[in-house]
Amino acid sequence: MVPPSSSMDPSPPPSWFTPKRLLIIFCVINMINYVDRGAIASNGVNGSSETCDDKGICKSGSGIQGEFDLTNFQDGLLSSAFMVGLLVASPIFASLAKSYNPFRLIGVGLSVWTLSVAGCASAFSFWFIAICRMLVGVGEASFISLAAPFIDDNAPVSQKTAWLAMFYMCIPTGIALGYVYGGYVGGHFHWRYAFWGEALLMLPFAVFGFLVKPLQLKGFSPVESKRALASVETVSSVTDVADSKASKLDGRMLVGGDGIIGDELSKTSKSESIHNILNQLSRFAKDMKVLLVDKVYVVNVFGYIAYNFVIGAYSYWGPKAGYNIYHMKSADMLFGGVTIVCGILGTISGGFILDRMGATISNAFILLSGATFLGAISCFSAFCLRSLYGFIVLFAVGELLVFATQAPVNYVCLHCVRPSLRPLSMAISTVSIHIFGDVPSSPLVGILQDHINNWRDTALILTSILFLAAGIWFIGVFLHAVDKSNDGSQPVSTPRITSRKPLLDGNVDESLCEV
């Protein structure tokens, strides 16, 4: 019988680590990630190469490019190295989330990020800093793949998209702060101090990822239970093998038994490792197949690729196009200011609007297609105008509408798949929009401009791709979309694991005891 006093035990006090604080912490981490992206692109950190005039008078270079005497090609490789690390590691971290605690994986990623940024600060050659930039991308990959599912799990039901909007609002804000931060630190001190500052800012969050009690994602079973079960299975298998050998060797087991058991244990351990790797690859292949045959997911990502193709080219070529079309004196500041303001307001507005409409996949597609279509009309009309002020007004309205898609498109990625596939869904979405979207868009638009030699026509052709994105997302309105975020039919679990409670409700892990 249970002692009467046990039933009277008071419930544990609520944890300080509430869902709102989780959102704030993740937003700050996301901000620091994108501050780094803006800082390395700033003039103060990136710098310039040495230049010489006709008289042979040379002006020394500045920043990374000047210190290591980099060509523009080598300087561009630093950005590519970061993207390689990000794109390769994102699916890996998403897959590892099924075997290791996702919250701990974020801690690992942030630790790699912190050490790599510190490596950039102490770099002694081009190849060293290029490798460090690639590892920075690896570190960020864990956070990008796993943070959004944690936010979605803990957000209030009526504010899920709004919380995602606040998280993704940190992207344009962080990049803008990175420009200012990198320019100030690099201009007044030294470019290396900018990276040291970022590493110090991120270090407490990397430590936090290991100190706090690990949280669980919905659809994932406790890692401790898996390890316990795996240990039981391993011991059982080794015991069975040892018993089998004993029956065959009879008395000889007494002479060399320890060696035989040791050999069998070593062989079994190796076979278990190989078996686990093969299981990981097999599971990844099956999960990828599930994503690729999901029409809702595929349509959403295709629309996102077309959208990101335009946004990526806008961010790179927009100031130059504005300068040549409208002869702007400060095109960088104008385009940057419009993008920052519209990015923040548009992203937050998109999340709140979808929540007010009713956060469903069908409504998300309606908002995605409608906002993108209206935004395309505004941006297209802006580039048709001859007046600079008319262009600024229409382009601002267009960007406001276009940025309203950030929260809904990620909402669909999270809710069109079952919980255990959400990290991989976010990872593959990130990989796709970069590989097929903003990475090739800038050089392709450059080739187009070289061919037609008219920035207005180039801008209009580029903007027209937004109509394609709106059309693809409009197809999603007519698809049979089921919200699978609460689908527990195929959890990643060990035998006899009970259903999970929300992550931050102080739930106690009893599955280990059951195993």
Side-chain angles (χ1 to χ4, degrees):
M1 294 182 61
V2 179
S5 59
S6 64
S7 60
M8 300 298 291
D9 289 341
S11 59
S15 171
W16 69 270
F17 193 36
T18 62
K20 287 185 179 179
R21 287 171 182 166
L22 173 70
L23 174 64
I24 293 172
I25 290 172
F26 277 10
C27 283
V28 173
I29 294 172
N30 204 28
M31 186 87 70
I32 297 173
N33 276 327
Y34 281 91
V35 163
D36 174 72
R37 295 200 198 183
I40 196 171
S42 66
N43 288 325
V45 173
N46 190 269
S48 59
S49 57
E50 182 183 36
T51 57
C52 299
D53 57 20
D54 296 336
K55 297 180 181 180
I57 301 175
C58 296
K59 182 180 180 182
S60 61
S62 62
I64 296 173
Q65 191 173 16
E67 182 161 336
F68 297 118
D69 193 22
L70 305 182
T71 64
N72 288 327
F73 173 74
Q74 290 175 314
D75 191 30
L77 284 179
L78 295 180
S79 175
S80 300
F82 171 86
M83 198 60 68
V84 168
L86 177 69
L87 300 183
V88 170
S90 293
I92 294 175
F93 275 109
S95 298
L96 289 175
K98 291 191 173 183
S99 302
Y100 302 92
N101 182 272
F103 197 78
R104 289 291 186 255
L105 288 177
I106 290 179
V108 171
L110 295 182
S111 300
V112 172
W113 192 97
T114 304
L115 293 174
S116 302
V117 170
C120 293
S122 56
F124 53 84
S125 69
F126 162 70
W127 287 112
F128 186 84
I129 195 171
I131 292 173
C132 287
R133 291 310 299 172
M134 183 180 69
L135 292 176
V136 170
V138 171
E140 186 176 324
S142 69
F143 186 73
I144 285 179
S145 303
L146 301 171
F150 274 114
I151 292 174
D152 187 70
D153 275 353
N154 293 280
V157 176
S158 61
Q159 298 177 5
K160 285 186 177 292
T161 323
W163 279 39
L164 288 174
M166 285 183 249
F167 177 72
Y168 286 104
M169 176 202 68
C170 298
I171 295 177
T173 309
I175 292 176
L177 288 176
Y179 289 146
V180 177
Y181 168 77
Y184 181 83
V185 175
H188 290 77
F189 303 100
H190 195 275
W191 64 267
R192 294 181 185 272
Y193 288 106
F195 290 121
W196 284 121
E198 293 171 11
L200 289 175
L201 287 173
M202 188 65 83
L203 180 60
F205 298 104
V207 176
F208 176 79
F210 291 101
L211 292 182
V212 73
K213 180 181 178 181
L215 309 180
Q216 294 292 341
L217 277 177
K218 184 167 61 178
F220 290 80
S221 62
V223 178
E224 292 81 1
S225 299
K226 291 186 177 183
R227 289 176 178 169
L229 184 62
S231 300
V232 172
E233 291 176 345
T234 302
V235 172
S236 177
S237 62
V238 173
T239 305
D240 291 342
V241 171
D243 290 343
S244 176
K245 287 290 184 180
S247 63
K248 291 181 180 179
L249 296 175
D250 296 325
R252 285 179 294 171
M253 178 65 74
L254 299 175
V255 179
D258 292 341
I260 293 174
I261 293 177
D263 291 342
E264 295 299 337
L265 181 60
S266 176
K267 292 178 182 178
T268 304
S269 178
K270 291 179 181 179
S271 64
E272 284 288 332
S273 300
I274 296 173
H275 181 68
N276 288 336
I277 293 173
L278 293 177
N279 275 345
Q280 288 280 355
L281 293 175
S282 174
R283 186 185 299 160
F284 176 77
K286 291 178 180 178
D287 290 344
M288 282 298 300
K289 182 179 179 181
V290 172
L291 289 180
L292 294 177
V293 300
D294 189 326
K295 295 179 181 179
V296 174
Y297 181 77
V298 171
V299 166
N300 187 53
V301 172
F302 270 122
Y304 203 7
I305 290 171
Y307 163 89
N308 215 51
F309 187 95
V310 178
I311 298 301
Y314 271 175
S315 64
Y316 190 82
W317 293 113
K320 183 169 288 188
Y323 177 82
N324 284 275
I325 297 173
Y326 297 102
H327 307 291
M328 299 179 188
K329 293 182 180 180
S330 54
D332 289 337
M333 294 296 295
L334 182 60
F335 267 84
V338 169
T339 301
I340 292 168
V341 174
C342 294
I344 294 173
L345 295 179
T347 303
I348 294 178
S349 299
F352 278 98
I353 290 172
L354 181 57
D355 284 334
R356 292 298 297 269
M357 292 172 60
T360 64
I361 295 176
S362 296
N363 284 344
F365 276 125
I366 292 173
L367 181 57
L368 286 170
S369 57
T372 305
F373 182 74
L374 295 175
I377 292 176
S378 296
C379 292
F380 194 90
S381 302
F383 282 111
C384 290
L385 294 179
R386 301 290 177 180
S387 168
L388 171 60
Y389 298 105
F391 165 80
I392 294 173
V393 172
L394 279 179
F395 189 74
V397 172
E399 283 210 320
L400 191 69
L401 290 164
V402 166
F403 277 114
T405 61
Q406 283 294 307
V409 71
N410 287 287
Y411 176 89
V412 175
C413 282
L414 289 170
H415 286 254
C416 72
V417 298
R418 65 179 187 266
S420 62
L421 281 179
R422 289 181 303 170
L424 186 62
S425 169
M426 298 301 297
I428 298 304
S429 172
T430 301
V431 169
S432 301
I433 64 174
H434 287 309
I435 291 181
F436 303 108
D438 55 1
V439 170
S441 67
S442 295
L444 288 177
V445 170
I447 293 172
L448 176 64
Q449 170 59 21
D450 289 339
H451 180 69
I452 64 178
N453 196 28
N454 186 309
W455 275 109
R456 189 184 298 276
D457 291 345
T458 299
L460 290 173
I461 293 172
L462 173 64
T463 304
S464 64
I465 298 178
L466 285 175
F467 291 105
L468 174 63
I472 294 173
W473 277 327
F474 187 64
I475 295 174
V477 177
F478 302 99
L479 295 177
H480 178 63
V482 177
D483 191 327
K484 301 176 184 177
S485 62
N486 293 315
D487 183 8
S489 59
Q490 292 177 307
V492 182
S493 59
T494 53
R496 291 156 44 185
I497 298 295
T498 57
S499 59
R500 304 293 301 171
K501 296 181 180 179
L503 305 181
L504 299 175
D505 284 357
N507 53 307
V508 179
D509 183 5
E510 299 176 353
S511 54
L512 181 58
C513 299
E514 294 180 7
V515 173

